[in-house]
């Protein structure tokens, strides 16, 4: 599996913004994988936050969990082969460790169903804390 590295987490006040980035080690390109962001808050199960389909998936789509729709935006930098998550209007309940994950190479490459079991490459996580 490819090792992923997240960056951009930190402490922010409610209503603030952060931008998380995900890149693969050794210059590996994420363009041809569905890539998702998951998060896990203390005492809670890990949940899928957002997903962006592979660029080679002709029916490309994105996914957002209901609680972040309209506030978070996932995007690719195709030239760099990286994926970012722009998080705006952050709320206390967004506090969690955020993980970037790439789907298994044999996966369909879309984001119609986002399950952590289908993602075989993971980052170590980056902490996002929303606090006043």
């Amino acid at each position: 599996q490819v090792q992923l590295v997240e960056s951009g987490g930190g402490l922010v006040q409610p209503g603030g913004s952060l931008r998380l980035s995900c890149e693969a080690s050794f210059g590996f390109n994420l363009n041809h994988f569905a890539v998702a962001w998951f998060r896990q808050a203390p005492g809670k199960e890990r949940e899928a936050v957002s997903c962006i389909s592979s660029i080679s998936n002709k029916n490309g789509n994105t996914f957002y969990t209901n609680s972040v729709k309209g506030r978070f935006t996932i995007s690719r930098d195709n030239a760099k082969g990286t994926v970012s998550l722009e998080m705006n209007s952050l709320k206390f309940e967004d506090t969690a460790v955020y993980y970037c994950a790439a789907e298994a190479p044999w996966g369909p490459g879309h984001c119609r169903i986002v399950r952590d079991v289908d993602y075989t490459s993971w980052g170590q996580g980056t902490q996002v804390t929303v606090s006043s």
Side-chain angles (χ1 to χ4, degrees):
Q1 292 89 351
V2 177
Q3 182 63 45
L4 305 183
V5 179
E6 304 97 339
S7 61
L11 174 64
V12 64
Q13 292 185 340
S17 298
L18 284 173
R19 184 180 179 88
L20 305 183
S21 293
C22 174
E23 62 180 351
S25 58
F26 308 114
F28 193 85
N29 194 305
L30 293 174
N31 287 352
H32 296 284
F33 297 84
V35 176
W37 288 93
F38 294 82
R39 68 184 178 187
Q40 188 164 23
K44 294 188 177 181
E45 292 187 356
R46 185 165 58 192
E47 66 167 339
V49 176
S50 183
C51 174
I52 188 166
S53 60
S54 161
I55 66 170
S56 50
N57 188 286
K58 63 178 182 179
N59 299 314
N61 67 309
T62 56
F63 161 85
Y64 298 95
T65 193
N66 286 339
S67 63
V68 308
K69 285 181 180 178
R71 300 189 297 122
F72 289 13
T73 303
I74 193 169
S75 62
R76 290 186 178 275
D77 184 326
N78 291 344
K80 295 181 179 179
T82 60
V83 173
S84 296
L85 184 69
E86 182 76 27
M87 305 187 297
N88 298 315
S89 302
L90 283 162
K91 304 177 180 180
F92 292 120
E93 51 265 39
D94 294 318
T95 295
V97 178
Y98 284 70
Y99 299 90
C100 171
E103 189 187 36
W106 53 86
H110 60 63
C111 298
R112 296 193 194 98
I113 298 174
V114 184
R115 304 180 306 175
D116 55 5
V117 295
D118 295 324
Y119 289 76
T120 54
S121 296
W122 291 80
Q124 294 299 308
T126 185
Q127 177 70 46
V128 171
T129 302
V130 184
S131 175
S132 55

